[in-house]
Amino acid sequence: MTTFTRIWKTRSFQKDFLGRKITSALQYTIQLDNGTVLSSRPYTRNGITDTEFNRWSARGKLLDTMFIRYGGHGGAFGYDEKSGLIHTLVEDPITRQKYIGGVDYHSNSTIGLASFRWLVKVPHYVRFSTDTEQNVFLASDTAGNVYSGRLSELKQAGELLRPVFHLSSYGMRVNPAGDENDGRFNTLQSNGVCYPYAFFTFGDANNADLKFILAIDLRDNRQVFKHEVIPERDVKLRVPLDKKGHLEPEGIYYDRHTKKLIVGFNKLEVWGIGRFGYRYPHSELYETAEFNHRLPDISTM
């Protein structure tokens, strides 16, 4: 039985510098070496979707926030702890050209395209993640195309080139963009890379489709494993799904320092009993070493 252990969660009823409450809906979440956490999520205002980045303490307290105008959903991002650069999506508000680029974190600020240190053209929205130790990037689009290569070569080319494989090759029927999932599709949530392995999460917020973790070897595009996440078996729930609970897989990455695979989930929490209790959504990070025997080229380094 696969065991996921919770290592972090958001605290309830916190407000950012705009006065908005934030407890959940984190799309991609990474824990840094000092224990603090960096996360992304969408923020839509006036018909424009920005990427909202938040920094959290090791105990889940909200520290500060940054908005990237026209940044998009925030389904994945890369982070280089040495340079402090976030690698993420941004759009030119005039030409509507989308880019992937590197940007510093600006505490309690709203920034845009002009704040990026480098930019690479992309044809449409992609989830973008990086392994800066190995100079590798990984991206996926809503159709299930996957792009990967050397990060330095991507910067030199100035644009994202053709995909290297499609997720349908591994039995995944990716949910078309904009279609509500009725269980016939697999909702692609996020991707992460720790070379030579790429990781993906699947599973809609409405619990209609099965929840999967998929790992691919980028050297030969071979499937390493595909694991179905079973609520209550893999991740314990305070509110079961049949009681209108919630378990949505989100971001995924492998931590070379702890030698653990890390997966983010959005869940529903409950406190108290009956009319004296309440429910609120929140986000958590879970780790597991159960797949390490399938990942020898990073788990034994």
Side-chain angles (χ1 to χ4, degrees):
M1 180 180 296
T2 302
T3 301
F4 290 82
T5 302
R6 189 176 71 191
I7 59 173
W8 181 85
K9 64 176 288 186
T10 53
R11 293 166 60 180
S12 62
F13 307 120
Q14 300 185 75
K15 293 183 179 181
D16 66 8
F17 74 102
L18 297 179
R20 300 175 310 120
K21 289 183 179 179
I22 300 176
T23 62
S24 187
L26 306 187
Q27 299 300 303
Y28 202 82
T29 311
I30 58 173
Q31 190 167 53
L32 308 184
D33 289 344
N34 63 5
T36 60
V37 166
L38 179 65
S39 67
S40 61
R41 53 177 273 176
Y43 176 50
T44 301
R45 47 183 166 176
N46 301 322
I48 299 168
T49 299
D50 301 336
T51 306
E52 174 185 337
F53 283 91
N54 293 304
R55 292 197 298 192
W56 311 79
S57 74
R59 298 188 62 186
K61 180 181 178 181
L62 181 63
L63 301 176
D64 49 25
T65 299
M66 174 181 75
F67 296 98
I68 296 181
R69 291 292 279 162
Y70 294 87
H73 191 69
F77 66 88
Y79 184 68
D80 183 355
E81 288 207 51
K82 291 182 179 179
S83 68
L85 282 186
I86 299 171
H87 303 150
T88 189
L89 189 79
V90 66
E91 181 180 297
D92 187 314
I94 299 175
T95 67
R96 308 311 297 266
Q97 172 66 54
K98 288 182 170 59
Y99 298 89
I100 288 295
V103 66
D104 294 293
Y105 188 91
H106 298 261
S107 176
N108 293 338
S109 301
T110 298
I111 64 170
L113 189 70
S115 296
F116 279 69
R117 291 197 193 179
W118 59 265
L119 294 166
V120 170
K121 289 183 179 180
V122 294
H124 42 242
Y125 170 80
V126 294
R127 308 164 189 86
F128 190 79
S129 50
T130 54
D131 177 358
T132 53
E133 287 191 28
Q134 295 296 315
N135 187 30
V136 173
F137 76 89
L138 180 75
S140 64
D141 61 24
T142 56
N145 295 302
V146 177
Y147 309 77
S148 187
R150 297 180 68 81
L151 183 60
S152 58
E153 293 177 359
L154 175 67
K155 293 179 183 179
Q156 186 175 15
E159 61 180 331
L160 189 65
L161 301 178
R162 57 183 176 273
V164 294
F165 61 81
H166 194 279
L167 289 167
S168 61
S169 299
Y170 310 98
M172 311 309 297
R173 189 181 182 194
V174 178
N175 189 20
D179 289 1
E180 183 176 352
N181 197 341
D182 59 4
R184 295 176 298 164
F185 302 100
N186 301 109
T187 299
L188 175 58
Q189 290 284 8
S190 193
N191 53 242
V193 59
C194 186
Y195 192 79
Y197 306 112
F199 303 95
F200 305 86
T201 53
F202 300 83
D204 200 353
N206 65 6
N207 299 314
D209 59 325
L210 300 178
K211 309 171 197 303
F212 284 106
I213 296 171
L214 175 68
I216 305 297
D217 191 323
L218 291 171
R219 294 167 295 189
D220 56 10
N221 296 344
R222 173 182 57 87
Q223 178 177 306
V224 180
F225 67 81
K226 182 164 63 174
H227 174 78
E228 182 185 350
V229 178
I230 305 296
E232 295 295 349
R233 185 193 72 180
D234 290 327
V235 179
K236 297 299 181 184
L237 302 179
R238 293 284 297 274
V239 184
L241 298 188
D242 60 2
K243 301 294 184 182
K244 298 184 178 181
H246 181 69
L247 181 67
E248 181 183 8
E250 293 290 1
I252 184 169
Y253 68 97
Y254 190 91
D255 189 322
R256 280 194 177 92
H257 302 291
T258 64
K259 299 187 184 302
K260 301 287 181 64
L261 184 67
I262 314 294
V263 184
F265 291 93
N266 285 323
K267 295 176 58 179
L268 189 66
E269 186 65 280
V270 61
W271 293 96
I273 301 175
R275 64 188 181 92
F276 298 104
Y278 60 87
R279 300 181 179 193
Y280 71 91
H282 69 292
S283 298
E284 301 183 348
L285 281 176
Y286 285 77
E287 67 177 14
T288 182
E290 293 294 326
F291 303 110
N292 278 0
H293 67 287
R294 307 290 300 274
L295 307 167
D297 294 312
I298 51 176
S299 63
T300 59
M301 292 176 62

